[in-house]
Amino acid sequence: LLKPGHTIGMPFPLFSKMEEASVASFKARFGGQDSSSTAAPAVDAETLQKQIEKQGNKVRELKASKASPETIKSEVAILLDLKSKLPPELQQKPAKGGKGKQSGKPEPKQQPKVQNPPKPKVEITPEIAALQSQIDAQGTKVRELKGSGAEKSVIDAEVKVLLDLKAKLPEELRPQPSGKKGKKKK
């Protein structure tokens, strides 16, 4: 805090206008080297593409022969480095779902998505709400049994109870299957 009777000094600008002469001297002093004069000679794009193709085949062979992950990772790093040296107009975008995989096939045209018609709304009665809470509780029970490694016959019996409860729901409220079954592979 300032003490009583403190006087503020004279204000002065923090920056000053730079003249052309000082700009030139600063550029010469702090500008560094011109990147165009020290650039490495450009690699022929055709040669680079052949190297990429050769390295890609090597990576595919290693993956097919179930080589060690470290070996594959180092070869993929070399491949990605080669690809980064390609001019932007020659670089291909990775295929969807593939980690950097490129295929020579053109991507199929996607069909426009058709939205499902809206489902008619169903009134949630106390009976339906109770049934939904029973389904939630049974689902939790099944997940706990699966997580604890219970016997298959016990799990199957509880899943059957769960499916019977879901069958009692009005069709509009039944959960749609996601199409994914089982645990995710690690």
Side-chain angles (χ1 to χ4, degrees), residues 129-160:
L131 186 58
Q132 286 178 326
S133 66
Q134 288 176 340
I135 290 171
D136 290 341
Q138 188 66 23
T140 303
K141 186 176 181 181
V142 169
R143 284 189 290 280
E144 287 172 355
L145 286 171
K146 286 183 176 183
S148 68
E151 288 186 33
K152 184 171 175 25
S153 60
V154 174
I155 294 172
D156 288 344
E158 295 301 326
V159 168
K160 184 176 182 340

mmCIF file of all heavy atoms in Angstrom, residues 129-160:
data_model
loop_
_atom_site.group_PDB
_atom_site.id
_atom_site.type_symbol
_atom_site.label_atom_id
_atom_site.label_comp_id
_atom_site.label_asym_id
_atom_site.label_seq_id
_atom_site.Cartn_x
_atom_site.Cartn_y
_atom_site.Cartn_z
ATOM 1 N N ALA A 129 -43.126 -46.674 -14.805
ATOM 2 C CA ALA A 129 -41.979 -46.152 -14.062
ATOM 3 C C ALA A 129 -41.426 -47.214 -13.118
ATOM 4 O O ALA A 129 -40.195 -47.376 -12.996
ATOM 5 C CB ALA A 129 -42.381 -44.903 -13.281
ATOM 6 N N ALA A 130 -42.316 -47.961 -12.455
ATOM 7 C CA ALA A 130 -41.873 -49.035 -11.558
ATOM 8 C C ALA A 130 -41.156 -50.127 -12.354
ATOM 9 O O ALA A 130 -40.131 -50.666 -11.915
ATOM 10 C CB ALA A 130 -43.061 -49.617 -10.801
ATOM 11 N N LEU A 131 -41.702 -50.440 -13.542
ATOM 12 C CA LEU A 131 -41.098 -51.462 -14.388
ATOM 13 C C LEU A 131 -39.700 -51.016 -14.848
ATOM 14 O O LEU A 131 -38.749 -51.803 -14.857
ATOM 15 C CB LEU A 131 -42.004 -51.736 -15.595
ATOM 16 C CG LEU A 131 -41.620 -52.881 -16.521
ATOM 17 C CD1 LEU A 131 -41.539 -54.194 -15.763
ATOM 18 C CD2 LEU A 131 -42.633 -52.999 -17.655
ATOM 19 N N GLN A 132 -39.553 -49.737 -15.197
ATOM 20 C CA GLN A 132 -38.250 -49.223 -15.613
ATOM 21 C C GLN A 132 -37.241 -49.285 -14.466
ATOM 22 O O GLN A 132 -36.071 -49.611 -14.683
ATOM 23 C CB GLN A 132 -38.385 -47.795 -16.140
ATOM 24 C CG GLN A 132 -39.008 -47.738 -17.509
ATOM 25 C CD GLN A 132 -39.201 -46.317 -18.018
ATOM 26 O OE1 GLN A 132 -39.479 -45.412 -17.241
ATOM 27 N NE2 GLN A 132 -39.079 -46.145 -19.324
ATOM 28 N N SER A 133 -37.665 -48.997 -13.245
ATOM 29 C CA SER A 133 -36.730 -49.076 -12.114
ATOM 30 C C SER A 133 -36.344 -50.525 -11.839
ATOM 31 O O SER A 133 -35.196 -50.809 -11.478
ATOM 32 C CB SER A 133 -37.315 -48.415 -10.867
ATOM 33 O OG SER A 133 -38.444 -49.132 -10.416
ATOM 34 N N GLN A 134 -37.281 -51.478 -12.051
ATOM 35 C CA GLN A 134 -36.950 -52.897 -11.902
ATOM 36 C C GLN A 134 -35.919 -53.315 -12.960
ATOM 37 O O GLN A 134 -34.986 -54.064 -12.672
ATOM 38 C CB GLN A 134 -38.203 -53.773 -12.053
ATOM 39 C CG GLN A 134 -39.160 -53.706 -10.887
ATOM 40 C CD GLN A 134 -40.423 -54.523 -11.143
ATOM 41 O OE1 GLN A 134 -40.750 -54.838 -12.298
ATOM 42 N NE2 GLN A 134 -41.142 -54.849 -10.077
ATOM 43 N N ILE A 135 -36.101 -52.806 -14.193
ATOM 44 C CA ILE A 135 -35.165 -53.125 -15.284
ATOM 45 C C ILE A 135 -33.786 -52.573 -14.948
ATOM 46 O O ILE A 135 -32.772 -53.257 -15.127
ATOM 47 C CB ILE A 135 -35.680 -52.569 -16.626
ATOM 48 C CG1 ILE A 135 -36.902 -53.360 -17.089
ATOM 49 C CG2 ILE A 135 -34.592 -52.592 -17.693
ATOM 50 C CD1 ILE A 135 -37.628 -52.775 -18.280
ATOM 51 N N ASP A 136 -33.725 -51.336 -14.434
ATOM 52 C CA ASP A 136 -32.442 -50.745 -14.059
ATOM 53 C C ASP A 136 -31.758 -51.572 -12.971
ATOM 54 O O ASP A 136 -30.557 -51.847 -13.037
ATOM 55 C CB ASP A 136 -32.622 -49.302 -13.578
ATOM 56 C CG ASP A 136 -32.999 -48.355 -14.707
ATOM 57 O OD1 ASP A 136 -32.770 -48.705 -15.880
ATOM 58 O OD2 ASP A 136 -33.515 -47.253 -14.403
ATOM 59 N N ALA A 137 -32.530 -51.980 -11.967
ATOM 60 C CA ALA A 137 -31.962 -52.758 -10.865
ATOM 61 C C ALA A 137 -31.465 -54.119 -11.373
ATOM 62 O O ALA A 137 -30.383 -54.585 -10.985
ATOM 63 C CB ALA A 137 -33.007 -52.951 -9.768
ATOM 64 N N GLN A 138 -32.246 -54.759 -12.233
ATOM 65 C CA GLN A 138 -31.854 -56.068 -12.770
ATOM 66 C C GLN A 138 -30.623 -55.929 -13.666
ATOM 67 O O GLN A 138 -29.740 -56.782 -13.638
ATOM 68 C CB GLN A 138 -33.023 -56.695 -13.552
ATOM 69 C CG GLN A 138 -32.782 -58.118 -13.980
ATOM 70 C CD GLN A 138 -32.675 -59.093 -12.817
ATOM 71 O OE1 GLN A 138 -33.170 -58.843 -11.728
ATOM 72 N NE2 GLN A 138 -32.020 -60.209 -13.060
ATOM 73 N N GLY A 139 -30.562 -54.860 -14.445
ATOM 74 C CA GLY A 139 -29.389 -54.623 -15.285
ATOM 75 C C GLY A 139 -28.130 -54.450 -14.451
ATOM 76 O O GLY A 139 -27.064 -54.979 -14.777
ATOM 77 N N THR A 140 -28.248 -53.704 -13.345
ATOM 78 C CA THR A 140 -27.122 -53.524 -12.436
ATOM 79 C C THR A 140 -26.693 -54.859 -11.844
ATOM 80 O O THR A 140 -25.502 -55.163 -11.748
ATOM 81 C CB THR A 140 -27.501 -52.539 -11.311
ATOM 82 O OG1 THR A 140 -27.911 -51.310 -11.903
ATOM 83 C CG2 THR A 140 -26.351 -52.302 -10.357
ATOM 84 N N LYS A 141 -27.675 -55.676 -11.498
ATOM 85 C CA LYS A 141 -27.388 -56.994 -10.922
ATOM 86 C C LYS A 141 -26.617 -57.861 -11.927
ATOM 87 O O LYS A 141 -25.639 -58.518 -11.569
ATOM 88 C CB LYS A 141 -28.701 -57.676 -10.526
ATOM 89 C CG LYS A 141 -28.530 -58.978 -9.804
ATOM 90 C CD LYS A 141 -29.880 -59.527 -9.363
ATOM 91 C CE LYS A 141 -29.759 -60.825 -8.599
ATOM 92 N NZ LYS A 141 -31.082 -61.351 -8.195
ATOM 93 N N VAL A 142 -27.045 -57.839 -13.189
ATOM 94 C CA VAL A 142 -26.373 -58.631 -14.230
ATOM 95 C C VAL A 142 -24.937 -58.140 -14.415
ATOM 96 O O VAL A 142 -24.000 -58.946 -14.496
ATOM 97 C CB VAL A 142 -27.164 -58.570 -15.561
ATOM 98 C CG1 VAL A 142 -26.358 -59.141 -16.714
ATOM 99 C CG2 VAL A 142 -28.489 -59.313 -15.432
ATOM 100 N N ARG A 143 -24.752 -56.824 -14.463
ATOM 101 C CA ARG A 143 -23.396 -56.282 -14.622
ATOM 102 C C ARG A 143 -22.496 -56.680 -13.459
ATOM 103 O O ARG A 143 -21.323 -57.019 -13.640
ATOM 104 C CB ARG A 143 -23.443 -54.759 -14.768
ATOM 105 C CG ARG A 143 -23.901 -54.312 -16.149
ATOM 106 C CD ARG A 143 -23.734 -52.815 -16.335
ATOM 107 N NE ARG A 143 -24.671 -52.030 -15.536
ATOM 108 C CZ ARG A 143 -25.941 -51.802 -15.856
ATOM 109 N NH1 ARG A 143 -26.437 -52.287 -16.974
ATOM 110 N NH2 ARG A 143 -26.714 -51.088 -15.074
ATOM 111 N N GLU A 144 -23.042 -56.640 -12.231
ATOM 112 C CA GLU A 144 -22.249 -57.024 -11.064
ATOM 113 C C GLU A 144 -21.872 -58.501 -11.125
ATOM 114 O O GLU A 144 -20.750 -58.880 -10.787
ATOM 115 C CB GLU A 144 -23.018 -56.715 -9.785
ATOM 116 C CG GLU A 144 -23.096 -55.232 -9.475
ATOM 117 C CD GLU A 144 -24.011 -54.914 -8.307
ATOM 118 O OE1 GLU A 144 -24.676 -55.843 -7.768
ATOM 119 O OE2 GLU A 144 -24.084 -53.736 -7.939
ATOM 120 N N LEU A 145 -22.825 -59.351 -11.548
ATOM 121 C CA LEU A 145 -22.525 -60.784 -11.666
ATOM 122 C C LEU A 145 -21.433 -61.026 -12.706
ATOM 123 O O LEU A 145 -20.514 -61.816 -12.484
ATOM 124 C CB LEU A 145 -23.784 -61.571 -12.044
ATOM 125 C CG LEU A 145 -24.813 -61.769 -10.932
ATOM 126 C CD1 LEU A 145 -26.089 -62.373 -11.486
ATOM 127 C CD2 LEU A 145 -24.243 -62.652 -9.839
ATOM 128 N N LYS A 146 -21.526 -60.339 -13.831
ATOM 129 C CA LYS A 146 -20.506 -60.508 -14.871
ATOM 130 C C LYS A 146 -19.160 -60.019 -14.375
ATOM 131 O O LYS A 146 -18.127 -60.640 -14.646
ATOM 132 C CB LYS A 146 -20.902 -59.745 -16.140
ATOM 133 C CG LYS A 146 -22.016 -60.409 -16.916
ATOM 134 C CD LYS A 146 -22.303 -59.643 -18.193
ATOM 135 C CE LYS A 146 -23.348 -60.336 -19.035
ATOM 136 N NZ LYS A 146 -23.581 -59.634 -20.301
ATOM 137 N N GLY A 147 -19.162 -58.917 -13.648
ATOM 138 C CA GLY A 147 -17.915 -58.351 -13.148
ATOM 139 C C GLY A 147 -17.263 -59.214 -12.085
ATOM 140 O O GLY A 147 -16.042 -59.258 -11.962
ATOM 141 N N SER A 148 -18.074 -59.924 -11.305
ATOM 142 C CA SER A 148 -17.520 -60.755 -10.237
ATOM 143 C C SER A 148 -17.126 -62.137 -10.729
ATOM 144 O O SER A 148 -16.583 -62.936 -9.967
ATOM 145 C CB SER A 148 -18.530 -60.881 -9.093
ATOM 146 O OG SER A 148 -19.660 -61.638 -9.521
ATOM 147 N N GLY A 149 -17.409 -62.442 -11.999
ATOM 148 C CA GLY A 149 -17.012 -63.736 -12.553
ATOM 149 C C GLY A 149 -17.921 -64.873 -12.111
ATOM 150 O O GLY A 149 -17.452 -66.004 -11.926
ATOM 151 N N ALA A 150 -19.200 -64.597 -11.941
ATOM 152 C CA ALA A 150 -20.148 -65.629 -11.525
ATOM 153 C C ALA A 150 -20.295 -66.683 -12.623
ATOM 154 O O ALA A 150 -19.884 -66.490 -13.766
ATOM 155 C CB ALA A 150 -21.505 -64.992 -11.222
ATOM 156 N N GLU A 151 -20.886 -67.815 -12.252
ATOM 157 C CA GLU A 151 -21.075 -68.905 -13.213
ATOM 158 C C GLU A 151 -22.007 -68.461 -14.335
ATOM 159 O O GLU A 151 -22.923 -67.673 -14.132
ATOM 160 C CB GLU A 151 -21.679 -70.126 -12.513
ATOM 161 C CG GLU A 151 -20.710 -70.837 -11.600
ATOM 162 C CD GLU A 151 -21.315 -72.123 -11.056
ATOM 163 O OE1 GLU A 151 -22.099 -72.768 -11.780
ATOM 164 O OE2 GLU A 151 -20.997 -72.462 -9.918
ATOM 165 N N LYS A 152 -21.770 -69.024 -15.499
ATOM 166 C CA LYS A 152 -22.544 -68.660 -16.684
ATOM 167 C C LYS A 152 -24.022 -68.974 -16.499
ATOM 168 O O LYS A 152 -24.887 -68.201 -16.907
ATOM 169 C CB LYS A 152 -21.992 -69.371 -17.912
ATOM 170 C CG LYS A 152 -22.689 -68.971 -19.208
ATOM 171 C CD LYS A 152 -21.966 -69.523 -20.394
ATOM 172 C CE LYS A 152 -22.626 -69.298 -21.715
ATOM 173 N NZ LYS A 152 -23.512 -68.213 -21.900
ATOM 174 N N SER A 153 -24.342 -70.077 -15.864
ATOM 175 C CA SER A 153 -25.747 -70.456 -15.688
ATOM 176 C C SER A 153 -26.479 -69.435 -14.812
ATOM 177 O O SER A 153 -27.641 -69.109 -15.062
ATOM 178 C CB SER A 153 -25.849 -71.858 -15.082
ATOM 179 O OG SER A 153 -25.203 -71.893 -13.816
ATOM 180 N N VAL A 154 -25.796 -68.912 -13.793
ATOM 181 C CA VAL A 154 -26.411 -67.907 -12.911
ATOM 182 C C VAL A 154 -26.635 -66.619 -13.693
ATOM 183 O O VAL A 154 -27.705 -66.000 -13.608
ATOM 184 C CB VAL A 154 -25.505 -67.655 -11.681
ATOM 185 C CG1 VAL A 154 -26.042 -66.521 -10.832
ATOM 186 C CG2 VAL A 154 -25.360 -68.921 -10.857
ATOM 187 N N ILE A 155 -25.622 -66.228 -14.466
ATOM 188 C CA ILE A 155 -25.732 -64.990 -15.254
ATOM 189 C C ILE A 155 -26.852 -65.130 -16.282
ATOM 190 O O ILE A 155 -27.669 -64.216 -16.450
ATOM 191 C CB ILE A 155 -24.391 -64.675 -15.947
ATOM 192 C CG1 ILE A 155 -23.325 -64.337 -14.899
ATOM 193 C CG2 ILE A 155 -24.547 -63.514 -16.924
ATOM 194 C CD1 ILE A 155 -21.929 -64.189 -15.457
ATOM 195 N N ASP A 156 -26.909 -66.284 -16.970
ATOM 196 C CA ASP A 156 -27.940 -66.500 -17.984
ATOM 197 C C ASP A 156 -29.340 -66.400 -17.390
ATOM 198 O O ASP A 156 -30.253 -65.834 -18.011
ATOM 199 C CB ASP A 156 -27.746 -67.852 -18.668
ATOM 200 C CG ASP A 156 -26.537 -67.863 -19.596
ATOM 201 O OD1 ASP A 156 -26.036 -66.765 -19.937
ATOM 202 O OD2 ASP A 156 -26.100 -68.967 -19.982
ATOM 203 N N ALA A 157 -29.523 -66.946 -16.183
ATOM 204 C CA ALA A 157 -30.842 -66.895 -15.530
ATOM 205 C C ALA A 157 -31.228 -65.439 -15.247
ATOM 206 O O ALA A 157 -32.391 -65.040 -15.470
ATOM 207 C CB ALA A 157 -30.820 -67.710 -14.243
ATOM 208 N N GLU A 158 -30.272 -64.640 -14.769
ATOM 209 C CA GLU A 158 -30.561 -63.237 -14.458
ATOM 210 C C GLU A 158 -30.794 -62.419 -15.727
ATOM 211 O O GLU A 158 -31.615 -61.506 -15.745
ATOM 212 C CB GLU A 158 -29.441 -62.628 -13.613
ATOM 213 C CG GLU A 158 -29.297 -63.257 -12.241
ATOM 214 C CD GLU A 158 -30.556 -63.149 -11.387
ATOM 215 O OE1 GLU A 158 -31.285 -62.137 -11.485
ATOM 216 O OE2 GLU A 158 -30.818 -64.092 -10.619
ATOM 217 N N VAL A 159 -30.080 -62.748 -16.806
ATOM 218 C CA VAL A 159 -30.298 -62.064 -18.080
ATOM 219 C C VAL A 159 -31.689 -62.368 -18.599
ATOM 220 O O VAL A 159 -32.376 -61.495 -19.131
ATOM 221 C CB VAL A 159 -29.210 -62.467 -19.112
ATOM 222 C CG1 VAL A 159 -29.585 -62.008 -20.506
ATOM 223 C CG2 VAL A 159 -27.863 -61.887 -18.713
ATOM 224 N N LYS A 160 -32.141 -63.622 -18.423
ATOM 225 C CA LYS A 160 -33.490 -63.999 -18.868
ATOM 226 C C LYS A 160 -34.538 -63.185 -18.109
ATOM 227 O O LYS A 160 -35.500 -62.695 -18.708
ATOM 228 C CB LYS A 160 -33.729 -65.496 -18.673
ATOM 229 C CG LYS A 160 -35.081 -65.958 -19.202
ATOM 230 C CD LYS A 160 -35.239 -67.433 -19.078
ATOM 231 C CE LYS A 160 -36.527 -67.980 -19.630
ATOM 232 N NZ LYS A 160 -37.649 -67.127 -19.815
#
